[in-house]
Amino acid sequence: MGPAIGLAPMTLSFVLSNALYDQTPQLGDFLWTLGKVIAILNFFNLLPFWPLDGSKCLLLVFHTFFPSQTQNLSYVMSGAALAAGLYLQSIFLILFVLISVRGLLRSGTFLKIQHKMSKGRAVLCFACYIATLAAFLMGSGNLLYAIL
């Protein structure tokens, strides 16, 4: 399930926040903040940077269609993360990429034992990945931009 399990508590926090805000504004604010935190953490976890869940999901899908190029994709995704960190001047993102280099270099072992999915299942997994990522992005709103 990974980050997708966070969809329910995020949605529940936002719904309860709106429903309870008139009676108890402090509780409403807390639930709104909780929903934002859940959204940001899970959105970050779904980013396609090694070793986050997002990269593992995309690598499994990519491995189905282009097994010989999967390792190269993981390098490109990490390079893109580093470029984004430099562009945004985000020390957090830059440090995260640098810390994950060792795991990235070992990711080839993971790919050697990985079996391919059927193409239909890979397309479905990719669609679910995009939908979940979009839901967390919408839930995080402008707070995500402020953090980066």
Side-chain angles (χ1 to χ4, degrees):
M1 291 285 293
I5 202 164
L7 288 171
M10 177 190 74
T11 305
L12 184 62
S13 294
F14 288 143
V15 169
L16 289 176
S17 171
N18 287 334
L20 298 174
Y21 189 81
D22 291 336
Q23 294 84 12
T24 57
Q26 290 176 331
L27 181 59
D29 285 340
F30 169 77
L31 290 170
W32 186 259
T33 303
L34 177 65
K36 293 278 187 187
V37 168
I38 292 169
I40 288 171
L41 288 174
N42 285 293
F43 178 80
F44 184 76
N45 194 21
L46 280 174
L47 291 176
F49 310 143
W50 184 265
L52 297 175
D53 288 341
S55 73
K56 293 175 185 174
C57 292
L58 288 182
L59 288 178
L60 291 173
V61 170
F62 196 79
H63 186 67
T64 299
F65 297 103
F66 310 102
S68 64
Q69 295 299 316
T70 306
Q71 184 69 29
N72 293 335
L73 177 66
S74 60
Y75 295 140
V76 168
M77 288 189 301
S78 292
L82 183 60
L86 292 171
Y87 176 76
L88 296 170
Q89 297 178 352
S90 172
I91 294 178
F92 173 73
L93 190 53
I94 293 168
L95 287 175
F96 182 79
V97 171
L98 294 176
I99 289 170
S100 68
V101 167
R102 184 173 178 202
L104 175 64
L105 296 174
R106 292 183 175 178
S107 65
T109 305
F110 167 74
L111 294 172
K112 288 178 185 174
I113 61 172
Q114 182 61 47
H115 299 288
K116 291 191 281 187
M117 294 185 268
S118 68
K119 291 186 181 191
R121 183 174 286 182
V123 169
L124 178 63
C125 288
F126 183 69
C128 291
Y129 167 80
I130 294 296
T132 306
L133 185 68
F136 287 129
L137 178 61
M138 289 178 15
S140 64
N142 59 356
L143 191 57
L144 182 65
Y145 180 76
I147 290 173
L148 292 176

